[in-house]
Amino acid sequence: MKVYIFLIVALIYSNTFSQKVDTQYFMINEKDSLVTKLIDSSDGKISGYKIINEKKIIKKVRKPSNLTGDNIEYDAFEELFFSFNRKNDTIVNKHYIDELKILKTSREFLNLNKNFDETNTEFIFIEPKKCKNFILRKVRPIIFE
Amino acid sequence: MFTTNCDKELVISDEIIEQIINQTDTEVKFVSFEDAPKAINAIISITGVASSKNGFQSKSVDYKKGFINLNSILKIRNYEGITNYSFQVTVDNAPINEFYNVVVSESKNGKVKDPYITKYVIDEDAVATFLENNRDFRYFKGKKHIIPFKRFFDDLDGLSNKSGDIDPCPPVETTIDNTLSTGLNGSIHNLSPTNFLQMNPLDYNYDYELQQGENFEIFLNSYDTNTGDPTSHTDIIANPQVNIASLAPTLPPMTVSTPIQLNYTGVTFVSVTRYTEFSYGNSSGSCYVIINKIYNNGATSSEKIVFECPPMEQNLHQDKPSKSSKVTVDTDPCPDEEGEVGVNLPLPNRCLNGGVMVNGECVDAPDKITNYLTGKADCVYGKMVDNNNNINWILENFEDGDNPSDFDLIFKMSNSLGSLTNAATVKIGNTFTIKINENRAENVNTTLTIARTIIHEGVHARLREFASRDESNETSFPGVYDYFRRFKKNWDHEQMAEHYRNTIAIGLKQFDNGQHSDEFYNALAWEGLATELIDENDPTGNSTFITEAWAAVQNKDEILNIIKEHKKNGNKNCQ
């Protein structure tokens, strides 16, 4: 009987686990020149991060400065943007952080993600604050068109 | 027509069959100046700076007594990753029975070889037929010469070798006769094993209803191993690949597949000719398959695959016919064809500078929409156009002749956009190009998201087409000018967010057959307009802002959750 219960529990746990959204924690390093914090938008609530992927060259499109001009395409490092809403920030202490599996470099973060699929992964950026506190910041990849 | 000696089947190795099957990776298309930078640099490194006549649409290289058209470049990349670019060359006072291409070959690792010239000389008795049939290569009969680039132009200038020295790179000459077999009504008689086949696609059972392209005929030739006589077999195969179950007795079962992407670049027929060529008196020789493709747009390509010869019956060798007239094998270290080389024909209906032939004269082509999309994106776009989706209305100004403007629109896939960019619309000259991120379309986005992206980019193109017309001003398009005055570079996103979200939502509901609520489609329409835009006016490039319309929205989280939920659970298949 115990074996059956164990198997059922294991099965339920397995199914639950397989559908669980993965969470990635990425520690923002102020000294990392490839990661830039974006200034606040006009309403002061939404901000973001820009991460430069120096391993990937893409075609960027520059808009013309007038209505009738042509676009200019040029090669550039890929830039990835992530937005967040401050009202969703959470402050935690070091003990909490110590329990997390954290990506510590932008390279680790970029290597781990190809499509930055937010339907399967929740992205949490961490910013160190004073007194050994940290901000946990849920971010969303920004899709451009 | 067929011999019946089943005991004498030749064997093609698995590697060769695999090579042939891998033809599906072959890519054939016409590209423009911007898509072939290395090839063009290779030409310019010899000739000097490219000239630009009449704007971007007329890029060309003037060199000595000829000029090279850089606009309509035939690109063929074979399954090995070897790419050949064929450029049309126009020469002063060229004989009517000649035309020329510059060919630049680029290896898989991006190394570009020196350009060379392919010169096509039509036999006198075939000139009239060739011209009457709009320079269709299927009616070509004549010689092809491979000539070093500089020598070709030196000859035009009268600077060719006059010293009498032995030429270190003698021209390579190939005999081509595409006129021998007409294959009327599917019948083939006495095929010449030394020539490619010429077929009229209308004579066969093509199925134009196929979504991805046509069925096409395949022709297999070989020698009968007993008599040395040519044998042949024809069968209809469908895209992408169908086993050919029954073959001429001297050929083993073989699977052949060819790339069919779109109707206008599709293969109209493929002929596969298998030669066995032996040097009599010894066992050495070469065996090869030649795959000759002719595409709907007039482009042609051929590829030769050499493989290890199967054993032949020794007592039959002396009866073999002479093979001296077979296709020349170029062993010269000078210009050498590698991979598939296209023939960029000077077709009357493909005038230079994007024009078309009307009554014998080239005139500006009416504007049009060209679809180079593939896979899911092509499927979604096709469904939208066929089902009277409002994308037809959004893009109406790109396919109404030259009224009221003459801008073209191209849809194409892109592998060079950022990981988080669904699409981009680029205007260069009179052409707008909507580039769809292939990875995101195939692997990430739902079909409804792809439809929304197509509508979103279509609105971009529509608004910019308004703004780009010659007569465009603040009176004719006050909204466009007002948004540009207020928002500068992001004027079109601002205008779309404020005034075209409902258009997007209606298009999505049409595409989706109204399976969800209006609230659902209205939420999806925000995608691409709800996210923060990078302020390009900020010199630091680090600021963000949001569209005014989105800033005014109260239930942002609700909308974002609908979008996220759809991304997670929406349908990702298009059939």
Side-chain angles (χ1 to χ4, degrees), chain A residues 13-38:
Chain A
Y13 178 80
S14 170
N15 285 337
T16 304
F17 186 77
S18 65
Q19 294 173 8
K20 187 181 174 184
V21 173
D22 183 30
T23 302
Q24 287 181 19
Y25 297 92
F26 170 41
M27 181 70 77
I28 300 295
N29 181 351
E30 288 184 355
K31 294 179 181 177
D32 187 345
S33 60
L34 299 179
V35 180
T36 308
K37 189 174 177 182
L38 303 178

PDB file of all heavy atoms in Angstrom, chain A residues 13-38:
ATOM      1  N   TYR A  13       3.634  14.737  -8.162  1.00  0.00           N
ATOM      2  CA  TYR A  13       4.725  15.700  -8.026  1.00  0.00           C
ATOM      3  C   TYR A  13       5.415  15.916  -9.367  1.00  0.00           C
ATOM      4  O   TYR A  13       5.715  17.044  -9.785  1.00  0.00           O
ATOM      5  CB  TYR A  13       5.742  15.185  -7.008  1.00  0.00           C
ATOM      6  CG  TYR A  13       6.929  16.104  -6.861  1.00  0.00           C
ATOM      7  CD1 TYR A  13       6.851  17.259  -6.087  1.00  0.00           C
ATOM      8  CD2 TYR A  13       8.134  15.805  -7.508  1.00  0.00           C
ATOM      9  CE1 TYR A  13       7.929  18.111  -5.963  1.00  0.00           C
ATOM     10  CE2 TYR A  13       9.224  16.656  -7.392  1.00  0.00           C
ATOM     11  CZ  TYR A  13       9.112  17.809  -6.607  1.00  0.00           C
ATOM     12  OH  TYR A  13      10.178  18.638  -6.490  1.00  0.00           O
ATOM     13  N   SER A  14       5.611  14.787 -10.086  1.00  0.00           N
ATOM     14  CA  SER A  14       6.275  14.874 -11.383  1.00  0.00           C
ATOM     15  C   SER A  14       5.479  15.731 -12.353  1.00  0.00           C
ATOM     16  O   SER A  14       6.008  16.597 -13.038  1.00  0.00           O
ATOM     17  CB  SER A  14       6.464  13.471 -11.962  1.00  0.00           C
ATOM     18  OG  SER A  14       6.884  13.540 -13.284  1.00  0.00           O
ATOM     19  N   ASN A  15       4.139  15.472 -12.404  1.00  0.00           N
ATOM     20  CA  ASN A  15       3.301  16.252 -13.313  1.00  0.00           C
ATOM     21  C   ASN A  15       3.286  17.725 -12.934  1.00  0.00           C
ATOM     22  O   ASN A  15       3.360  18.591 -13.795  1.00  0.00           O
ATOM     23  CB  ASN A  15       1.865  15.713 -13.308  1.00  0.00           C
ATOM     24  CG  ASN A  15       1.765  14.413 -14.094  1.00  0.00           C
ATOM     25  OD1 ASN A  15       2.603  14.153 -14.946  1.00  0.00           O
ATOM     26  ND2 ASN A  15       0.766  13.609 -13.777  1.00  0.00           N
ATOM     27  N   THR A  16       3.186  17.964 -11.645  1.00  0.00           N
ATOM     28  CA  THR A  16       3.151  19.345 -11.178  1.00  0.00           C
ATOM     29  C   THR A  16       4.450  20.046 -11.542  1.00  0.00           C
ATOM     30  O   THR A  16       4.474  21.163 -12.037  1.00  0.00           O
ATOM     31  CB  THR A  16       2.949  19.390  -9.650  1.00  0.00           C
ATOM     32  OG1 THR A  16       1.777  18.664  -9.362  1.00  0.00           O
ATOM     33  CG2 THR A  16       2.807  20.826  -9.169  1.00  0.00           C
ATOM     34  N   PHE A  17       5.544  19.339 -11.297  1.00  0.00           N
ATOM     35  CA  PHE A  17       6.853  19.934 -11.527  1.00  0.00           C
ATOM     36  C   PHE A  17       7.061  20.240 -13.008  1.00  0.00           C
ATOM     37  O   PHE A  17       7.587  21.288 -13.381  1.00  0.00           O
ATOM     38  CB  PHE A  17       7.938  18.989 -11.021  1.00  0.00           C
ATOM     39  CG  PHE A  17       9.307  19.583 -11.095  1.00  0.00           C
ATOM     40  CD1 PHE A  17       9.714  20.512 -10.148  1.00  0.00           C
ATOM     41  CD2 PHE A  17      10.177  19.231 -12.112  1.00  0.00           C
ATOM     42  CE1 PHE A  17      10.981  21.067 -10.213  1.00  0.00           C
ATOM     43  CE2 PHE A  17      11.436  19.783 -12.175  1.00  0.00           C
ATOM     44  CZ  PHE A  17      11.838  20.700 -11.226  1.00  0.00           C
ATOM     45  N   SER A  18       6.589  19.306 -13.905  1.00  0.00           N
ATOM     46  CA  SER A  18       6.828  19.491 -15.324  1.00  0.00           C
ATOM     47  C   SER A  18       6.072  20.688 -15.880  1.00  0.00           C
ATOM     48  O   SER A  18       6.458  21.262 -16.878  1.00  0.00           O
ATOM     49  CB  SER A  18       6.439  18.231 -16.104  1.00  0.00           C
ATOM     50  OG  SER A  18       5.040  18.041 -15.990  1.00  0.00           O
ATOM     51  N   GLN A  19       4.964  21.077 -15.226  1.00  0.00           N
ATOM     52  CA  GLN A  19       4.202  22.208 -15.714  1.00  0.00           C
ATOM     53  C   GLN A  19       4.597  23.514 -15.046  1.00  0.00           C
ATOM     54  O   GLN A  19       4.116  24.573 -15.397  1.00  0.00           O
ATOM     55  CB  GLN A  19       2.710  21.953 -15.487  1.00  0.00           C
ATOM     56  CG  GLN A  19       2.179  20.796 -16.331  1.00  0.00           C
ATOM     57  CD  GLN A  19       0.762  20.442 -15.973  1.00  0.00           C
ATOM     58  OE1 GLN A  19       0.132  21.148 -15.205  1.00  0.00           O
ATOM     59  NE2 GLN A  19       0.278  19.353 -16.518  1.00  0.00           N
ATOM     60  N   LYS A  20       5.483  23.415 -14.086  1.00  0.00           N
ATOM     61  CA  LYS A  20       5.850  24.589 -13.326  1.00  0.00           C
ATOM     62  C   LYS A  20       6.684  25.536 -14.182  1.00  0.00           C
ATOM     63  O   LYS A  20       7.524  25.100 -14.962  1.00  0.00           O
ATOM     64  CB  LYS A  20       6.657  24.146 -12.106  1.00  0.00           C
ATOM     65  CG  LYS A  20       6.962  25.258 -11.128  1.00  0.00           C
ATOM     66  CD  LYS A  20       7.786  24.716  -9.990  1.00  0.00           C
ATOM     67  CE  LYS A  20       8.226  25.831  -9.068  1.00  0.00           C
ATOM     68  NZ  LYS A  20       9.101  25.322  -8.017  1.00  0.00           N
ATOM     69  N   VAL A  21       6.383  26.812 -14.001  1.00  0.00           N
ATOM     70  CA  VAL A  21       7.166  27.808 -14.725  1.00  0.00           C
ATOM     71  C   VAL A  21       8.521  27.951 -14.036  1.00  0.00           C
ATOM     72  O   VAL A  21       8.600  28.125 -12.828  1.00  0.00           O
ATOM     73  CB  VAL A  21       6.428  29.158 -14.746  1.00  0.00           C
ATOM     74  CG1 VAL A  21       7.314  30.238 -15.350  1.00  0.00           C
ATOM     75  CG2 VAL A  21       5.133  29.026 -15.520  1.00  0.00           C
ATOM     76  N   ASP A  22       9.563  27.864 -14.831  1.00  0.00           N
ATOM     77  CA  ASP A  22      10.911  27.978 -14.299  1.00  0.00           C
ATOM     78  C   ASP A  22      11.179  29.434 -13.904  1.00  0.00           C
ATOM     79  O   ASP A  22      10.634  30.359 -14.508  1.00  0.00           O
ATOM     80  CB  ASP A  22      11.897  27.525 -15.387  1.00  0.00           C
ATOM     81  CG  ASP A  22      13.313  27.542 -14.873  1.00  0.00           C
ATOM     82  OD1 ASP A  22      13.514  27.334 -13.670  1.00  0.00           O
ATOM     83  OD2 ASP A  22      14.226  27.769 -15.692  1.00  0.00           O
ATOM     84  N   THR A  23      11.972  29.632 -12.913  1.00  0.00           N
ATOM     85  CA  THR A  23      12.343  30.992 -12.519  1.00  0.00           C
ATOM     86  C   THR A  23      13.847  31.158 -12.610  1.00  0.00           C
ATOM     87  O   THR A  23      14.601  30.331 -12.105  1.00  0.00           O
ATOM     88  CB  THR A  23      11.894  31.289 -11.069  1.00  0.00           C
ATOM     89  OG1 THR A  23      10.482  31.112 -10.988  1.00  0.00           O
ATOM     90  CG2 THR A  23      12.244  32.717 -10.675  1.00  0.00           C
ATOM     91  N   GLN A  24      14.244  32.197 -13.280  1.00  0.00           N
ATOM     92  CA  GLN A  24      15.667  32.509 -13.374  1.00  0.00           C
ATOM     93  C   GLN A  24      15.954  33.784 -12.576  1.00  0.00           C
ATOM     94  O   GLN A  24      15.258  34.791 -12.751  1.00  0.00           O
ATOM     95  CB  GLN A  24      16.079  32.730 -14.830  1.00  0.00           C
ATOM     96  CG  GLN A  24      16.131  31.466 -15.663  1.00  0.00           C
ATOM     97  CD  GLN A  24      16.565  31.768 -17.085  1.00  0.00           C
ATOM     98  OE1 GLN A  24      17.139  32.810 -17.377  1.00  0.00           O
ATOM     99  NE2 GLN A  24      16.274  30.841 -17.990  1.00  0.00           N
ATOM    100  N   TYR A  25      16.976  33.705 -11.736  1.00  0.00           N
ATOM    101  CA  TYR A  25      17.397  34.859 -10.959  1.00  0.00           C
ATOM    102  C   TYR A  25      18.725  35.358 -11.521  1.00  0.00           C
ATOM    103  O   TYR A  25      19.669  34.581 -11.663  1.00  0.00           O
ATOM    104  CB  TYR A  25      17.560  34.490  -9.479  1.00  0.00           C
ATOM    105  CG  TYR A  25      16.271  34.060  -8.826  1.00  0.00           C
ATOM    106  CD1 TYR A  25      15.900  32.711  -8.786  1.00  0.00           C
ATOM    107  CD2 TYR A  25      15.416  35.000  -8.253  1.00  0.00           C
ATOM    108  CE1 TYR A  25      14.716  32.316  -8.193  1.00  0.00           C
ATOM    109  CE2 TYR A  25      14.225  34.595  -7.647  1.00  0.00           C
ATOM    110  CZ  TYR A  25      13.890  33.266  -7.623  1.00  0.00           C
ATOM    111  OH  TYR A  25      12.711  32.878  -7.030  1.00  0.00           O
ATOM    112  N   PHE A  26      18.771  36.622 -11.833  1.00  0.00           N
ATOM    113  CA  PHE A  26      19.976  37.186 -12.431  1.00  0.00           C
ATOM    114  C   PHE A  26      20.416  38.392 -11.600  1.00  0.00           C
ATOM    115  O   PHE A  26      19.686  39.384 -11.468  1.00  0.00           O
ATOM    116  CB  PHE A  26      19.685  37.589 -13.888  1.00  0.00           C
ATOM    117  CG  PHE A  26      20.778  38.392 -14.538  1.00  0.00           C
ATOM    118  CD1 PHE A  26      22.126  38.093 -14.346  1.00  0.00           C
ATOM    119  CD2 PHE A  26      20.458  39.464 -15.371  1.00  0.00           C
ATOM    120  CE1 PHE A  26      23.117  38.836 -14.953  1.00  0.00           C
ATOM    121  CE2 PHE A  26      21.440  40.211 -15.980  1.00  0.00           C
ATOM    122  CZ  PHE A  26      22.775  39.893 -15.763  1.00  0.00           C
ATOM    123  N   MET A  27      21.603  38.300 -11.034  1.00  0.00           N
ATOM    124  CA  MET A  27      22.129  39.382 -10.189  1.00  0.00           C
ATOM    125  C   MET A  27      22.731  40.474 -11.074  1.00  0.00           C
ATOM    126  O   MET A  27      23.634  40.216 -11.866  1.00  0.00           O
ATOM    127  CB  MET A  27      23.208  38.826  -9.249  1.00  0.00           C
ATOM    128  CG  MET A  27      23.816  39.849  -8.319  1.00  0.00           C
ATOM    129  SD  MET A  27      22.681  40.399  -7.033  1.00  0.00           S
ATOM    130  CE  MET A  27      22.728  39.002  -5.891  1.00  0.00           C
ATOM    131  N   ILE A  28      22.215  41.681 -10.931  1.00  0.00           N
ATOM    132  CA  ILE A  28      22.738  42.806 -11.702  1.00  0.00           C
ATOM    133  C   ILE A  28      24.050  43.279 -11.071  1.00  0.00           C
ATOM    134  O   ILE A  28      24.096  43.613  -9.885  1.00  0.00           O
ATOM    135  CB  ILE A  28      21.736  43.980 -11.718  1.00  0.00           C
ATOM    136  CG1 ILE A  28      20.418  43.531 -12.350  1.00  0.00           C
ATOM    137  CG2 ILE A  28      22.329  45.173 -12.459  1.00  0.00           C
ATOM    138  CD1 ILE A  28      20.525  43.159 -13.807  1.00  0.00           C
ATOM    139  N   ASN A  29      25.074  43.290 -11.862  1.00  0.00           N
ATOM    140  CA  ASN A  29      26.374  43.763 -11.402  1.00  0.00           C
ATOM    141  C   ASN A  29      26.601  45.160 -11.960  1.00  0.00           C
ATOM    142  O   ASN A  29      26.670  45.351 -13.175  1.00  0.00           O
ATOM    143  CB  ASN A  29      27.460  42.788 -11.902  1.00  0.00           C
ATOM    144  CG  ASN A  29      28.847  43.205 -11.446  1.00  0.00           C
ATOM    145  OD1 ASN A  29      29.032  44.291 -10.900  1.00  0.00           O
ATOM    146  ND2 ASN A  29      29.808  42.327 -11.681  1.00  0.00           N
ATOM    147  N   GLU A  30      26.725  46.113 -11.084  1.00  0.00           N
ATOM    148  CA  GLU A  30      26.874  47.505 -11.525  1.00  0.00           C
ATOM    149  C   GLU A  30      28.124  47.711 -12.375  1.00  0.00           C
ATOM    150  O   GLU A  30      28.206  48.648 -13.158  1.00  0.00           O
ATOM    151  CB  GLU A  30      26.921  48.444 -10.315  1.00  0.00           C
ATOM    152  CG  GLU A  30      25.578  48.599  -9.627  1.00  0.00           C
ATOM    153  CD  GLU A  30      25.653  49.606  -8.489  1.00  0.00           C
ATOM    154  OE1 GLU A  30      26.771  50.086  -8.208  1.00  0.00           O
ATOM    155  OE2 GLU A  30      24.603  49.888  -7.892  1.00  0.00           O
ATOM    156  N   LYS A  31      29.091  46.833 -12.180  1.00  0.00           N
ATOM    157  CA  LYS A  31      30.354  46.993 -12.929  1.00  0.00           C
ATOM    158  C   LYS A  31      30.288  46.345 -14.315  1.00  0.00           C
ATOM    159  O   LYS A  31      31.227  46.456 -15.088  1.00  0.00           O
ATOM    160  CB  LYS A  31      31.501  46.393 -12.122  1.00  0.00           C
ATOM    161  CG  LYS A  31      31.776  47.144 -10.835  1.00  0.00           C
ATOM    162  CD  LYS A  31      32.898  46.491 -10.055  1.00  0.00           C
ATOM    163  CE  LYS A  31      33.134  47.250  -8.761  1.00  0.00           C
ATOM    164  NZ  LYS A  31      34.186  46.601  -7.931  1.00  0.00           N
ATOM    165  N   ASP A  32      29.195  45.641 -14.575  1.00  0.00           N
ATOM    166  CA  ASP A  32      29.064  44.994 -15.876  1.00  0.00           C
ATOM    167  C   ASP A  32      28.622  46.042 -16.903  1.00  0.00           C
ATOM    168  O   ASP A  32      27.483  46.489 -16.902  1.00  0.00           O
ATOM    169  CB  ASP A  32      28.026  43.859 -15.797  1.00  0.00           C
ATOM    170  CG  ASP A  32      27.969  43.049 -17.087  1.00  0.00           C
ATOM    171  OD1 ASP A  32      28.507  43.521 -18.108  1.00  0.00           O
ATOM    172  OD2 ASP A  32      27.389  41.956 -17.063  1.00  0.00           O
ATOM    173  N   SER A  33      29.547  46.422 -17.787  1.00  0.00           N
ATOM    174  CA  SER A  33      29.233  47.496 -18.738  1.00  0.00           C
ATOM    175  C   SER A  33      28.255  47.040 -19.824  1.00  0.00           C
ATOM    176  O   SER A  33      27.793  47.854 -20.611  1.00  0.00           O
ATOM    177  CB  SER A  33      30.518  48.002 -19.392  1.00  0.00           C
ATOM    178  OG  SER A  33      31.154  46.940 -20.082  1.00  0.00           O
ATOM    179  N   LEU A  34      27.994  45.754 -19.876  1.00  0.00           N
ATOM    180  CA  LEU A  34      27.059  45.268 -20.891  1.00  0.00           C
ATOM    181  C   LEU A  34      25.609  45.308 -20.407  1.00  0.00           C
ATOM    182  O   LEU A  34      24.692  45.005 -21.154  1.00  0.00           O
ATOM    183  CB  LEU A  34      27.425  43.830 -21.308  1.00  0.00           C
ATOM    184  CG  LEU A  34      28.819  43.672 -21.920  1.00  0.00           C
ATOM    185  CD1 LEU A  34      29.088  42.216 -22.268  1.00  0.00           C
ATOM    186  CD2 LEU A  34      28.965  44.542 -23.161  1.00  0.00           C
ATOM    187  N   VAL A  35      25.446  45.657 -19.154  1.00  0.00           N
ATOM    188  CA  VAL A  35      24.082  45.781 -18.604  1.00  0.00           C
ATOM    189  C   VAL A  35      23.854  47.228 -18.184  1.00  0.00           C
ATOM    190  O   VAL A  35      24.636  47.791 -17.426  1.00  0.00           O
ATOM    191  CB  VAL A  35      23.877  44.846 -17.396  1.00  0.00           C
ATOM    192  CG1 VAL A  35      22.463  45.001 -16.844  1.00  0.00           C
ATOM    193  CG2 VAL A  35      24.136  43.404 -17.789  1.00  0.00           C
ATOM    194  N   THR A  36      22.804  47.814 -18.727  1.00  0.00           N
ATOM    195  CA  THR A  36      22.507  49.210 -18.420  1.00  0.00           C
ATOM    196  C   THR A  36      21.102  49.318 -17.866  1.00  0.00           C
ATOM    197  O   THR A  36      20.174  48.712 -18.400  1.00  0.00           O
ATOM    198  CB  THR A  36      22.578  50.071 -19.702  1.00  0.00           C
ATOM    199  OG1 THR A  36      23.824  49.841 -20.344  1.00  0.00           O
ATOM    200  CG2 THR A  36      22.429  51.542 -19.380  1.00  0.00           C
ATOM    201  N   LYS A  37      20.976  50.082 -16.803  1.00  0.00           N
ATOM    202  CA  LYS A  37      19.641  50.333 -16.273  1.00  0.00           C
ATOM    203  C   LYS A  37      19.060  51.532 -17.012  1.00  0.00           C
ATOM    204  O   LYS A  37      19.722  52.568 -17.155  1.00  0.00           O
ATOM    205  CB  LYS A  37      19.716  50.611 -14.777  1.00  0.00           C
ATOM    206  CG  LYS A  37      18.363  50.662 -14.114  1.00  0.00           C
ATOM    207  CD  LYS A  37      18.550  50.797 -12.610  1.00  0.00           C
ATOM    208  CE  LYS A  37      17.203  50.915 -11.929  1.00  0.00           C
ATOM    209  NZ  LYS A  37      17.388  51.104 -10.467  1.00  0.00           N
ATOM    210  N   LEU A  38      17.861  51.388 -17.498  1.00  0.00           N
ATOM    211  CA  LEU A  38      17.249  52.454 -18.283  1.00  0.00           C
ATOM    212  C   LEU A  38      16.578  53.457 -17.364  1.00  0.00           C
ATOM    213  O   LEU A  38      16.065  53.099 -16.305  1.00  0.00           O
ATOM    214  CB  LEU A  38      16.229  51.873 -19.252  1.00  0.00           C
ATOM    215  CG  LEU A  38      16.774  50.814 -20.216  1.00  0.00           C
ATOM    216  CD1 LEU A  38      15.668  50.272 -21.098  1.00  0.00           C
ATOM    217  CD2 LEU A  38      17.890  51.393 -21.054  1.00  0.00           C
TER     218      LEU A  38
END
